[in-house]
Amino acid sequence: MKSISLNIENQKVWVRFQEIGHELWIHFEGQTWVEDLRPVRSKTSKSKKGTGRSESLAPMPGKILQVCVGVGQKVEIGNVLVIMEAMKMEYTLEAEVAGIVEKVNCKTGDQVELGSQLVKLKN
Amino acid sequence: MSFEKIAISNRGEVAVRVIRACQDMGLSTVLLHSEADVGTLAYRLADDCMLVGGADTRSSYLNIENNINAAMAAGADAIHPGFGFLSENAGFAEACIAKRMTFIGPKPEQIRLFGDKISAKRLVQNAGGPILPGYDGEDQSIKTLLNKIEEIGLPVIVKATAGGGGRGMRVVRTMQEAQVAIEGAQRESELAFGSSQIFIEKYLDHAKHIEVQIFGDSKGKIYHLFERECSVQRRHQKIIEEAPAAKLNASTRERMIKVALEIGEVAQYQGAGTIEFLYQDDEFYFMEMNTRLQVEHPVTEMILGIDLVKAQILTAQGKSLLWDQSDLMPRGHSIECRIYAENPFLAGMPSTGKIRALSFPDGPFRRFECGLEVGDEVTAHYDPMIAKVIVWDESRSRALIKMSQTLKETIIFGVHTNIPYLLEILAHPDFVDGKMTTQFISQNFAKGLKLREKTDRFQAVLSEVKKISGGPSVVLNQEGASGREFPNPWQK
């Protein structure tokens, strides 16, 4: 547990917090809060320009639960490409650019390694 | 006689409590524990440990044979049963004695006597103590029952003689509904318990739960240790207790204490016992006598400066106590809050998990009874009470403030707790005024607390904390840098 003194709106606030798995437990001013750190599945974001990667790489070793696109399919930014599982948690990998699916290198049930290319998009 | 080794047939914070008393008295301890309690704080503290069964209480904490055999194998001179489990099981007490171990508690016949509601009531009646007006006669004709209800005075509660657990029970508030209620209770009782016999008791719908602590020493002298109030309860589970009672006039206190002493003397009671009363409209009525140490014993210890567990151990050894009735003068006020592993924003849904952080804010006259340390697991096998917070101060209002302060700074990470619930109760006007009755929770907090909104302040704190803690480990929607760079999910 970490203990820090913050300045919020010109007031000193004593905060104790700790990351526990995918949760952030925070205690301040007599209350305990639990924040889920997992990213909320974002809707197609129009504000995002095509600055993202055109490859979807496995961010950790895990198992593929579902492949949501097929070769030749047109995708927008934010469309879900692959859903995988690691450490009993689900992760959705979304398209960071708009484009067409060029390669799909995995299928449901596959065990993948950190960094392996799961889906390749063509802008 | 002097003990050398005491076996504790219990778990959690009470096991720790008893071990601490034994340590202070130079006695060695052996913990009689279940599989699920291997490696808990009590397990680590005890000098010796004996496994008595599986996680299921019936195979372990409620298993007389296993506990007796384990205590004997460990060479224990005596067994302290704590509270709950076998603490009020006369058979267990007898088995201890049969195997030449001392049972730290009253005599088996006293456990039996007060364990039976009917014999307990008779004893109290004979001792001149007030019992709830009622009728429990053989004549079950509807005419008689209705007459009795009028005699007793509405409201009344109709209960199954053979039963319990709330079945075969009806509250009657008007004579119009009386017959239907009686017949309904009789039918339910027949179905559930095989007997339609019912009894009637006056129903107290705005009573306070006030109990008197008594103690019988090894020489047969009965002491009283004043009273406690435990009106804040949810479905008969106590949540907050205090000593002395929040609002009790001196003469009623005197009368209650007198009755309690009389009961103790008539029974020739030995050890710690608590007589529970219901108090309404300046009248009080005997409910039951508990022949064991109670969870809320600390508030009594705090106002009197005594140690009840040590008193139990001294008495069991035939030794004199360290107090005299004349020097037991209560001072100030003490409050205890029970911390339960539950989510008050989800109607008290139990919470399980590993304790990741545990911090109690120490200060003058703040006391913490906890059976867990960081890394210990809160499981669904047992009672979800994980700790007790007790404070003492020179007045009730000061004790209240101190309790709120203490709870606000108590940090438990890893499981949700009822602390927000306790804080709301402590701030409620009926509690602050001391007017609360046993209906307090059902009237004001039946469904727990409303879901909390994430305030702006929280968001501000959260964003600062995230910066400092390095942010979440994996952000998959991040507009990432080019190239084969991805965050390591296991990086702190």
Side-chain angles (χ1 to χ4, degrees):
Chain A
M1 179 170 74
K2 299 195 178 110
S3 176
I4 49 167
S5 189
L6 295 176
N7 195 311
I8 306 281
E9 288 155 33
N10 266 319
Q11 263 191 311
K12 181 169 72 75
V13 181
W14 184 17
V15 182
R16 260 77 65 90
F17 66 94
Q18 186 168 340
E19 271 185 57
I20 301 170
H22 59 84
E23 293 177 334
L24 180 57
W25 288 63
I26 300 178
H27 185 95
F28 74 98
E29 291 173 347
Q31 296 192 71
T32 300
W33 302 79
V34 183
E35 178 77 359
D36 192 330
L37 293 175
R38 286 174 297 183
V40 175
R41 199 195 274 204
S42 60
K43 301 185 181 80
T44 309
S45 151
K46 291 187 180 128
S47 62
K48 281 191 188 175
K49 303 297 173 193
T51 52
R53 291 169 288 207
S54 57
E55 319 174 277
S56 186
L57 307 173
M60 67 199 78
K63 187 169 95 175
I64 304 296
L65 293 179
Q66 198 180 340
V67 177
C68 304
V69 294
V71 173
Q73 186 172 339
K74 196 159 167 235
V75 297
E76 303 294 320
I77 292 175
N79 286 168
V80 179
L81 304 172
V82 176
I83 303 175
M84 65 177 287
E85 177 197 70
M87 290 285 281
K88 295 189 185 163
M89 292 181 298
E90 245 180 56
Y91 293 91
T92 55
L93 308 184
E94 298 176 6
E96 292 178 30
V97 294
I100 294 178
V101 179
E102 193 183 328
K103 259 199 266 181
V104 173
N105 297 323
C106 61
K107 61 183 190 305
T108 303
D110 280 354
Q111 288 286 116
V112 297
E113 283 171 8
L114 171 70
S116 53
Q117 186 195 74
L118 304 176
V119 172
K120 173 108 174 58
L121 302 175
K122 194 167 81 169
N123 281 99
Chain B
M1 91 178 106
S2 276
F3 299 148
E4 276 174 27
K5 193 174 208 177
I6 293 189
I8 298 150
S9 57
N10 215 299
R11 59 174 306 282
E13 59 90 16
V14 70
V16 172
R17 172 80 182 87
V18 176
I19 292 171
R20 294 254 182 254
C22 291
Q23 286 172 338
D24 290 351
M25 294 169 89
L27 301 170
S28 78
T29 52
V30 51
L31 183 71
L32 309 179
H33 66 92
S34 77
E35 264 166 20
D37 285 327
V38 171
T40 54
L41 178 57
Y43 183 97
R44 296 190 289 272
L45 276 173
D47 296 307
D48 197 0
C49 295
M50 297 288 288
L51 183 67
V52 290
D56 190 316
T57 55
R58 282 165 299 179
S59 73
S60 53
Y61 295 110
L62 292 176
N63 188 312
I64 293 177
E65 205 184 318
N66 290 357
N67 276 283
I68 298 288
N69 290 340
M72 276 171 55
D77 303 303
I79 300 186
H80 194 302
F83 38 67
F85 296 140
L86 296 169
S87 62
E88 286 176 296
N89 186 310
F92 182 55
E94 277 163 348
C96 282
I97 296 165
K99 297 292 182 187
R100 295 165 179 272
M101 288 183 289
T102 305
F103 176 78
I104 300 177
K107 303 197 182 79
E109 54 267 27
Q110 293 166 341
I111 297 176
R112 245 182 212 112
L113 171 63
F114 289 108
D116 177 344
K117 281 206 118 167
I118 295 180
S119 62
K121 266 180 126 172
R122 294 274 175 262
L123 181 142
V124 173
Q125 252 177 318
N126 294 338
I131 58 169
L132 266 180
Y135 172 74
D136 61 0
E138 292 298 316
D139 184 353
Q140 299 268 304
S141 68
I142 194 71
K143 190 156 172 270
T144 304
L145 294 174
L146 289 172
N147 278 339
K148 291 296 174 187
I149 289 179
E150 288 198 4
E151 251 178 61
I152 295 165
L154 293 167
V156 299
I157 186 164
V158 174
K159 288 184 185 172
T161 306
R167 281 183 299 174
M169 260 171 56
R170 293 279 193 289
V171 176
V172 179
R173 297 180 200 277
T174 63
M175 284 315 293
Q176 283 89 329
E177 59 187 39
Q179 182 156 352
V180 170
I182 289 171
E183 286 164 356
Q186 285 172 323
R187 268 195 312 271
E188 223 174 87
S189 176
E190 178 74 53
L191 270 169
F193 312 112
S195 157
S196 65
Q197 187 165 17
I198 53 131
F199 67 96
I200 305 167
E201 263 179 359
K202 184 164 179 66
Y203 182 64
L204 302 178
D205 60 7
H206 57 280
K208 282 174 167 292
H209 172 122
I210 299 185
E211 55 190 39
V212 176
Q213 175 76 57
I214 62 165
F215 199 100
D217 74 8
S218 57
K219 317 240 175 338
K221 180 156 163 64
I222 311 289
Y223 300 87
H224 77 85
L225 301 169
F226 299 90
E227 84 283 1
R228 295 183 286 261
E229 175 164 356
C230 314
S231 299
V232 179
Q233 341 174 323
R234 181 185 57 194
R235 290 190 286 266
H236 303 286
Q237 186 188 52
K238 294 172 183 173
I239 303 175
I240 300 182
E241 306 103 338
E242 57 187 291
K247 261 180 151 51
L248 187 65
N249 59 65
S251 69
T252 309
R253 170 181 289 115
E254 246 181 75
R255 286 192 291 143
M256 276 185 170
I257 285 173
K258 194 153 172 276
V259 169
L261 281 173
E262 190 65 31
I263 292 170
E265 271 148 22
V266 164
Q268 293 181 309
Y269 193 71
Q270 191 167 89
T274 297
I275 291 132
E276 295 188 342
F277 296 106
L278 281 181
Y279 170 68
Q280 176 174 297
D281 302 332
D282 216 34
E283 283 301 326
F284 63 97
Y285 310 92
F286 171 80
M287 290 313 290
E288 60 178 3
M289 158 91 153
N290 296 317
T291 55
R292 62 170 194 269
L293 182 75
Q294 303 226 148
V295 175
E296 59 270 23
H297 72 275
V299 295
T300 295
E301 294 182 322
M302 298 290 267
I303 60 168
L304 293 174
I306 59 172
D307 187 316
L308 279 164
V309 176
K310 289 184 189 171
Q312 287 181 300
I313 296 171
L314 285 170
T315 301
Q317 294 175 108
K319 296 183 177 176
S320 299
L321 295 174
L322 299 172
W323 67 55
D324 209 57
Q325 187 72 68
S326 59
D327 48 41
L328 290 172
M329 291 300 297
R331 181 154 195 275
H333 206 95
S334 179
I335 301 178
E336 172 182 277
C337 284
R338 300 191 189 191
I339 300 187
Y340 287 103
E342 58 185 39
N343 192 328
F345 302 107
L346 295 176
M349 188 173 87
S351 179
T352 55
K354 194 177 274 210
I355 302 284
R356 305 293 186 139
L358 187 62
S359 174
F360 292 114
D362 233 325
F365 303 111
R366 293 177 177 192
R367 173 174 164 180
F368 307 97
E369 301 280 348
C370 183
L372 302 157
E373 285 186 322
V374 173
D376 288 342
E377 197 84 34
V378 175
T379 67
H381 295 300
Y382 307 115
D383 188 299
M385 185 178 81
I386 54 179
K388 294 174 340 203
V389 175
I390 303 116
V391 303
W392 176 92
D393 211 320
E394 294 178 288
S395 71
R396 185 172 187 270
S397 51
R398 284 180 182 218
L400 246 168
I401 294 171
K402 185 177 277 185
M403 177 57 82
S404 292
Q405 278 304 119
T406 305
L407 289 176
K408 282 179 181 164
E409 256 190 79
T410 294
I411 301 178
I412 301 176
F413 287 166
V415 293
H416 298 280
T417 71
N418 65 336
I419 290 176
Y421 190 68
L422 293 165
L423 287 168
E424 288 286 325
I425 292 172
L426 293 167
H428 193 284
D430 286 354
F431 187 83
V432 173
D433 289 343
K435 295 200 307 226
M436 69 287 180
T437 70
T438 56
Q439 306 296 322
F440 175 78
I441 292 285
S442 61
Q443 279 168 355
N444 301 295
F445 296 101
K447 296 202 175 93
L449 303 179
K450 283 197 276 234
L451 272 172
R452 240 179 346 181
E453 296 271 314
K454 286 187 176 167
T455 59
D456 290 341
R457 206 160 170 74
F458 166 72
Q459 297 293 5
V461 168
L462 177 65
S463 78
E464 290 303 311
V465 167
K466 273 181 168 171
K467 288 182 206 162
I468 295 162
S469 82
S473 308
V474 181
V475 178
L476 298 172
N477 299 333
Q478 194 171 46
E479 292 177 53
S482 54
R484 297 182 75 89
E485 257 188 307
F486 30 76
N488 181 341
W490 315 129
Q491 199 170 47
K492 285 231 182 289

